[in-house]
Amino acid sequence: MKQRIRIRHMVLSALFLALAYVMPFLTGQIPEIGSMLCPMHIPVLLCGFVCGWPWGAAVGFAAPLLRSMLTGGFPPMFPTAVCMAFELCAYGALAGACYRLLPRKKPFVYAALLIAMLGGRLVWGGAMLICTGVSGSAFGLAAFAAGAFTNALPGIVLQIVLVPLLVMLIERISRSKNEKGR
């Protein structure tokens, strides 16, 4: 049984990683807000919720680095993809850990999501501070606020609306499938 669950999580994680790779191509068709929708974040958050924190963390860390390498630098490897790797790793890990630790009720899905989103943004800010310090450029509070919240507002709204709905839908499907299997 444990082997079957591990294989299921591996396959689902590969699916979420593929979605994280492909979704920026889709949102990139809307130049005004495409990158503001934070398309890689949604599959990583879902992976954390569905597969658990280790899988969410792994997919989150790999997604921006893999995308940068395979697309010839979109997002640019340093500092963008490197900092995003730490941010998305935190998203996947925190979403999965909070979802596992909190009660399985609707308000707690939102709580886990908000904790993951805030934690990921803080990790991104710390990573940007370190990476820009290494490269000799400045990264202050205004740049953090703009990058983490102001410019990402459409993506934040999309995540708050879409991710809990998808998690609850996946839960419902999983519950119904388990009840039929009994």
Side-chain angles (χ1 to χ4, degrees):
M1 184 66 163
K2 282 187 180 187
Q3 183 69 14
R4 224 168 84 188
I5 291 171
R6 191 174 299 134
I7 291 170
R8 179 177 171 261
H9 286 165
M10 189 182 310
V11 169
L12 287 172
S13 294
L15 171 70
F16 289 124
L17 183 59
L19 285 171
Y21 179 79
V22 171
M23 285 182 68
F25 288 120
L26 302 174
T27 61
Q29 303 305 311
I30 314 165
E32 297 80 27
I33 64 165
S35 65
M36 296 168 82
L37 292 175
C38 308
M40 295 175 78
H41 296 59
I42 292 170
V44 170
L45 287 163
L46 287 173
C47 186
F49 278 106
V50 172
C51 300
W53 76 266
W55 295 100
V59 167
F61 193 78
L65 300 175
L66 184 66
R67 183 158 169 64
S68 180
M69 287 187 291
L70 294 177
T71 61
F74 185 76
M77 184 59 79
F78 192 81
T80 309
V82 171
C83 294
M84 278 182 70
F86 288 104
E87 173 191 18
L88 295 182
C89 178
Y91 276 164
L94 289 170
C98 290
Y99 188 61
R100 182 166 187 232
L101 296 172
L102 295 172
R104 295 286 174 113
K105 295 181 180 172
K106 191 183 291 188
F108 294 104
V109 173
Y110 286 96
L113 174 64
L114 292 175
I115 290 167
M117 290 171 66
L118 286 172
R121 280 169 171 62
L122 289 173
V123 167
W124 173 79
M128 283 297 289
L129 186 64
I130 291 167
C131 287
T132 55
V134 167
S135 69
S137 53
F139 183 77
L141 193 55
F144 170 73
F149 300 104
T150 309
N151 298 341
L153 193 57
I156 291 169
V157 170
L158 182 65
Q159 291 165 26
I160 289 171
V161 170
L162 192 59
V163 170
L165 291 175
L166 291 172
V167 168
M168 289 182 261
L169 177 65
I170 292 167
E171 260 185 8
R172 185 177 302 151
I173 291 169
S174 180
R175 248 192 322 252
S176 118
K177 189 176 176 181
N178 287 339
E179 288 171 4
K180 286 181 184 178
R182 288 183 185 172

